[in-house]
Amino acid sequence: MTDEEKKTNPQEAADTPSDPAEPGSRPTASVAEADAESPKGDNPSPEEEKESGPEIPEVLPLLPVRDIVIFPYMTLPLFVGREGSVAAVDEALARDRYIFLATQRDPSVEDPKEGDLYRTGTVAMIMRMLKLPDGRLKILIQGVVKAKIVEFIEAKPAVRVRIDRIVESPMKEGSLEVEALMRASREKIEKILSLKNMPVEILMVTENINNPGVLADLVASNLRLKIEEAQSVLEEEDPVTRLNLVSTLLSRELQLAEMQAKIQNQAKEEMSKSQREYFLREQMKAIKQELGDIDGKSEEADDLKGKIEAAGMPEEVKKEAEKQLRRLEGMHPDSAESSVVRTYLDWMVELPWAKETKDNIRIGTAKEILDEDHHDLEKVKERILEYLSVRKLKDKMKGPILCFVGPPGVGKTSLGKSIARAMGRKFIRMSLGGIRDEAEIRGHRRTYVGALPGRVIQGMKQAGTRNPVFMLDEIDKVGADFRGDPSAALLEVLDPEQNFAFSDNYLNVPFDLSKVLFIATGNVIDPVPPALKDRMEIIPLSGYTDVDKLAIAKKYLLPRQLEENGIRPGKITMRDKAILAIIHEYTREAGLRNLEREIGQVCRKLARKIAEGEKGPFAVTPKSLAKYLGAPRNLPEMEGEADEVGVSTGLAWTPTGGDILFVEVSLVDGKGGVMITGYLGDVMKESAQAAITYVRSRAAKLGLPRNFHAKHDIHIHVPSGGIPKDGPSAGITIATAIVSSLTGIPVRRDVAMTGEITLRGRVLPIGGLKEKALAALRAGISHVIAPARNAKDLEEIPKHEARQVRFTLVKTMDEVLSLALTRDPFRWKKRKTKPRRGKGAPAKGAGKPKRPPRAKGPR
């Protein structure tokens, strides 16, 4: 029921369950209500009351009310539920029905004290009372006179107060000013009633009132005023001043009524349900604007407009943002489209269009930071310092895309963090491992439900600046499927010629990525598409030697594990031999992750002892490692072995670093078949076939009969059959093992080799020589045979590592055989004894070859 309907139906208004004494309600009393509840024959006129004046006791029970101010001559129902309020009503009914009503300053206070109540209130008479089933009381009260609280007397069970009645001085008759003021007030009331289409009978009540104070109270009681405004009217004792104040409030109400009527006239024709809702919202907006209040939608629009101005967007982007803001203002706030536009604008204003951190580049400090965070890696550090130097000399430069490639655990990700710390920039890491959806990079179109920008734009928002260090981790593990190729989407991100206007599908406006320093990492570079690889500067990171691992463990790993396990420095000492024993016997890796895990396990075991009360200090030795880590898991491959026939040592490259592999060859009676086992790939099998063909072509020079292959089967096996192996670099290793098995000459155990073989015995270059050299060093091999065309790769091997291994560069397979076998197979003598079978020389029946001319092969 609307307020207008309540005023025209006094009975329904009186019965409306409004509870000023309880929170969340605000009853109103109209002129019609007062007339309906108080007939003229029962209520004295104001003039009669002035002359006689009702006898009001000085001490009355107090009833605090919320959300309303009670005026004299005001009749309305109240619901009473608080314990003290019920007691006050009972006391008033037991005496003379008079009760004092005072308004609370804060409606939410359940138990108001003296400071929570206004001192000026109204003495009212309880006309009716009804007890409700839930224990509350419904009373009908009528205001009598104004009064002030002089003193609070009692608090229990009901609050009682001593009051001082406010008696207004009689007005002088015939004052033109007062008469004009009253007439103006009546005219305003008449206009308001006409604008709201209410019955004019209500105006008759005001026509019969000649006292300006009574008129002011009656009008104020029927205006929907704030508590503070209504209380100020009640507290004003001078009738003329009070009527002036009410006249001002009537003027404001008249303006609101006129605005309301204007809005109603504009939106009256052909109004559907949705149009009616729009009209009501516009009506509320107009009213709030007239009152000086701004609705939430306007506040949001103004807030977004201010953020757009402050974001520093390029002109093209700013126009798009303002266009979307205008669309948002014209939408229903609860529509689905408005939610999409609002989310889009939130992204637009939160992106760092103009914010950037100032580079604080000091080459000396940067070098100290890199040396502090990482051991060795001199070539990588040198390239980083070169970039920082150029950046310091030239502000506007296109940032290179660095790509660190190396086995796990060598410090690729932490290098990116060190670069960001050296430059004073924010660091953002985005893992690309397993991403198969192109939308992860470029984002989704806004037409999709739940669309978001791509992870590149999300990272820029997270950084809060447009020039962070952005790490693209595991770039070699990006996949592709029916949803697109993410690596193709990265082409625009990582191209300095294009990324100044990177276009995200969600934003649909260009975003400048040219000032971002992108750093990519990967374990292998082969899976990266050539077009993407061409946009990056590849910086390889090889594994660490034992000496490097020892230094890193002492400087970084052990102190970090002691701190993480709550062990004070000096409580545990780990000798160098113990760390080397962990490296050799418990870890076999190019990086450092497993080494740190094993050191952490030792620290945890000792932390338990300390927690159980043992004082220490504790010394970790190689002999005590088994107690903490169990039996050694890795035994040296070459330890205790002698030179063998038919077994050669090769070097292999793996994504986790270099490794050694053995090739075994045995001869058995047969018909010239070849068996190749050991989970080998096609390329490696072809290398074995090429090695056999080479040996057959050199049979005469090696002292072998021409038909040696016709009566024997050759079995080539590479151990560790559960591990897939492929590649051409084992060609010379297989050929050496075949020649050793056929001639009976053992292969040197301290020699490892790598290289691709051709049918004519040429040795072709291979890759990953540095990693393979480190693998040989870890296995205790002191001599490495490599292709001559890999001489350039020797420069990448650190000097302190190169000094521990002797490299021999060869061009032909004949040179390899002269170096790898214990004696030169091309300088043979006629055998007087039968050759060994199995892993030895050719089997029985192979025949005794004639001595060929002495070959002049290289040594």
Side-chain angles (χ1 to χ4, degrees), residues 681-713:
D682 292 339
V683 177
M684 199 166 183
K685 290 179 181 179
E686 292 170 358
S687 296
Q689 296 287 353
I692 293 173
T693 302
Y694 161 76
V695 175
R696 290 179 61 184
S697 68
R698 306 290 286 175
K701 292 187 177 182
L702 292 172
L704 302 176
R706 293 183 180 272
N707 61 345
F708 74 92
H709 62 282
K711 298 182 180 180
H712 298 87
D713 289 343

Side-chain angles (χ1 to χ4, degrees), residues 602-613:
V602 174
C603 292
R604 289 193 298 273
K605 299 284 187 183
L606 295 175
R608 178 180 175 181
K609 289 187 175 183
I610 296 172
E612 290 175 349

Side-chain angles (χ1 to χ4, degrees), residues 557-572 599-612 614-615 618:
L557 306 185
L558 182 58
R560 184 161 61 209
Q561 287 300 318
L562 291 176
E563 181 181 357
E564 289 184 0
N565 291 282
I567 302 174
R568 296 193 304 272
K571 199 73 174 179
I572 295 178
I599 293 176
Q601 184 174 345
V602 174
C603 292
R604 289 193 298 273
K605 299 284 187 183
L606 295 175
R608 178 180 175 181
K609 289 187 175 183
I610 296 172
E612 290 175 349
E614 296 189 31
K615 296 183 179 179
F618 301 93

Side-chain angles (χ1 to χ4, degrees), residues 278-290:
Y278 174 76
F279 155 71
L280 293 174
R281 281 190 297 272
E282 290 298 316
Q283 183 181 16
M284 187 180 297
K285 178 180 177 181
I287 291 172
K288 290 186 176 181
Q289 286 179 346
E290 291 299 321

Side-chain angles (χ1 to χ4, degrees), residues 205-370:
V205 179
T206 60
E207 292 290 348
N208 297 327
I209 298 176
N210 297 320
N211 189 312
V214 176
L215 180 61
D217 291 342
L218 188 58
V219 173
S221 65
N222 286 275
L223 289 178
R224 290 178 296 176
L225 302 177
K226 297 179 181 179
I227 297 296
E228 295 79 5
E229 294 175 342
Q231 187 67 30
S232 64
V233 174
L234 183 67
E235 293 177 355
E236 181 57 54
E237 297 183 5
D238 184 64
V240 179
T241 305
R242 186 159 71 249
L243 185 57
N244 267 316
L245 180 58
V246 172
S247 180
T248 303
L249 297 174
L250 274 173
S251 299
R252 187 186 69 180
E253 186 71 18
L254 178 59
Q255 291 176 359
L256 290 175
E258 290 174 347
M259 181 60 65
Q260 185 178 12
K262 180 181 178 182
I263 296 173
Q264 288 174 344
N265 293 332
Q266 291 175 350
K268 192 174 182 180
E269 298 178 358
E270 297 180 0
M271 186 183 301
S272 64
K273 182 179 178 180
S274 59
Q275 289 173 328
R276 183 173 180 273
E277 292 177 356
Y278 174 76
F279 155 71
L280 293 174
R281 281 190 297 272
E282 290 298 316
Q283 183 181 16
M284 187 180 297
K285 178 180 177 181
I287 291 172
K288 290 186 176 181
Q289 286 179 346
E290 291 299 321
L291 291 174
D293 299 333
I294 303 176
D295 61 343
K297 185 177 178 181
S298 301
E299 287 182 355
E300 181 186 32
D302 293 342
D303 182 50
L304 286 173
K305 187 174 182 180
K307 289 181 178 180
I308 291 173
E309 293 293 336
M313 301 177 181
E315 193 62 30
E316 178 184 354
V317 179
K318 185 177 179 182
K319 288 181 180 178
E320 177 65 19
E322 291 175 344
K323 175 184 174 183
Q324 297 298 328
L325 180 58
R326 288 192 297 271
R327 288 186 59 209
L328 179 64
E329 290 176 341
M331 292 179 184
H332 189 291
D334 296 331
S335 65
E337 183 67 16
S338 68
S339 177
V340 173
V341 176
R342 191 179 296 111
T343 305
Y344 174 76
L345 288 174
D346 286 340
W347 275 99
M348 292 285 280
V349 299
E350 291 177 8
L351 286 175
W353 299 97
K355 297 179 182 177
E356 61 179 76
T357 55
K358 185 177 181 180
D359 291 342
N360 185 18
I361 300 176
R362 297 180 181 177
I363 305 303
T365 305
K367 187 176 186 307
E368 292 176 2
I369 291 174
L370 293 174

Side-chain angles (χ1 to χ4, degrees), residues 733-751:
T733 309
I734 297 173
T736 301
I738 294 173
V739 172
S740 173
S741 180
L742 290 172
T743 61
I745 303 175
V747 182
R748 297 183 184 275
R749 62 173 294 274
D750 60 344
V751 174

Side-chain angles (χ1 to χ4, degrees), residues 534-742:
D534 183 62
R535 285 163 168 78
M536 300 185 294
E537 180 179 346
I538 310 299
I539 300 179
L541 280 77
S542 57
Y544 294 104
T545 63
D546 295 347
V547 177
D548 294 333
K549 289 183 178 181
L550 176 61
I552 294 171
K554 292 169 63 178
K555 186 176 181 181
Y556 301 102
L557 306 185
L558 182 58
R560 184 161 61 209
Q561 287 300 318
L562 291 176
E563 181 181 357
E564 289 184 0
N565 291 282
I567 302 174
R568 296 193 304 272
K571 199 73 174 179
I572 295 178
T573 57
M574 189 174 292
R575 299 175 183 175
D576 292 357
K577 292 184 178 180
I579 298 176
L580 289 173
I582 296 176
I583 295 171
H584 294 153
E585 299 176 3
Y586 294 92
T587 63
R588 181 176 291 175
E589 58 173 347
L592 299 162
R593 287 201 179 102
N594 287 329
L595 176 59
E596 185 170 8
R597 290 191 188 101
E598 300 299 332
I599 293 176
Q601 184 174 345
V602 174
C603 292
R604 289 193 298 273
K605 299 284 187 183
L606 295 175
R608 178 180 175 181
K609 289 187 175 183
I610 296 172
E612 290 175 349
E614 296 189 31
K615 296 183 179 179
F618 301 93
V620 181
T621 62
K623 293 182 179 180
S624 64
L625 283 178
K627 182 169 57 175
Y628 304 120
L629 302 177
R633 292 185 286 274
N634 301 321
L635 297 176
E637 296 282 357
M638 305 302 295
E639 186 175 354
E641 295 185 6
D643 300 341
E644 291 188 57
V645 174
V647 181
S648 59
T649 305
L651 297 174
W653 180 93
T654 67
T656 59
D659 201 356
I660 64 170
L661 58 84
F662 299 99
V663 177
E664 298 180 351
V665 176
S666 290
L667 299 179
V668 294
D669 293 338
K671 298 181 180 180
V674 177
M675 289 184 293
I676 304 174
T677 57
Y679 201 169
L680 308 183
D682 292 339
V683 177
M684 199 166 183
K685 290 179 181 179
E686 292 170 358
S687 296
Q689 296 287 353
I692 293 173
T693 302
Y694 161 76
V695 175
R696 290 179 61 184
S697 68
R698 306 290 286 175
K701 292 187 177 182
L702 292 172
L704 302 176
R706 293 183 180 272
N707 61 345
F708 74 92
H709 62 282
K711 298 182 180 180
H712 298 87
D713 289 343
I714 300 177
H715 187 174
I716 302 173
H717 178 66
V718 182
S720 300
I723 302 174
K725 313 168 192 69
D726 201 3
S729 61
I732 65 173
T733 309
I734 297 173
T736 301
I738 294 173
V739 172
S740 173
S741 180
L742 290 172

